[in-house]
Amino acid sequence: MIFDHLGISVRDAGRSKAFFAAALAPLGIEPLMTVRGWVGFGRERPQFWIGADGGQHKPMHIAFAADSREQVRAFHARALAAGGTDNGAPGIRELYHPDYYAAFVICPDGHNLEAVCHLPEASNEAQRSM
């Protein structure tokens, strides 16, 4: 990871907290704390923050690391069920490299969210058998 934490502005903190909690759960990312209306999500510590600051925002692209292709598929399904819009079904994106497996969803605030796994399918099968 090359950053310590990241915060994005959302229009409705409650709606966005519910959306991100559902969409990021398959990746092991959950809401960990709230500070002054901002919700921090992470695995061991908050690294992804959302909050309603009342300002205008431009849509961002945010990619979350997945440990398996199964997690990418689960992220996509859960994000759609939580109100996201499909922006690219789970699959290989050879443009980046032969094992780049990703899915894309537009969240209710217009941000383009991605879950990506860089491991080849054989590595994913080995992980499942452990």
Side-chain angles (χ1 to χ4, degrees), residues 38-91:
W38 284 74
V39 180
F41 290 80
R43 292 187 180 117
E44 297 174 13
R45 63 183 177 85
Q47 291 181 278
F48 176 66
W49 291 84
I50 62 166
D53 65 6
Q56 293 283 5
H57 67 279
K58 292 183 180 181
M60 298 175 61
H61 173 75
I62 304 166
F64 294 94
D67 295 326
S68 68
R69 294 179 181 195
E70 184 176 315
Q71 283 186 344
V72 172
R73 290 187 290 272
F75 157 83
H76 188 259
R78 294 279 302 268
L80 294 179
T85 303
D86 179 43
N87 196 34

Side-chain angles (χ1 to χ4, degrees), residues 2 19 23 26 33-34 36 41 44 47 52 60 73-74 87 89 91 95 97 99 103 107 109 112 115-116 118 123:
I2 61 170
F19 171 82
M33 68 186 302
T34 301
R36 296 184 181 157
F41 290 80
E44 297 174 13
Q47 291 181 278
M60 298 175 61
R73 290 187 290 272
N87 196 34
L95 169 69
H97 65 75
D99 296 314
C107 80
D109 285 286
N112 181 25
V116 58
H118 295 279
S123 295

Side-chain angles (χ1 to χ4, degrees), residues 20-21 24-25 27-33 39-43 45-46:
F20 281 105
L24 299 179
L27 306 177
I29 300 170
E30 60 187 5
L32 298 176
M33 68 186 302
V39 180
F41 290 80
R43 292 187 180 117
R45 63 183 177 85

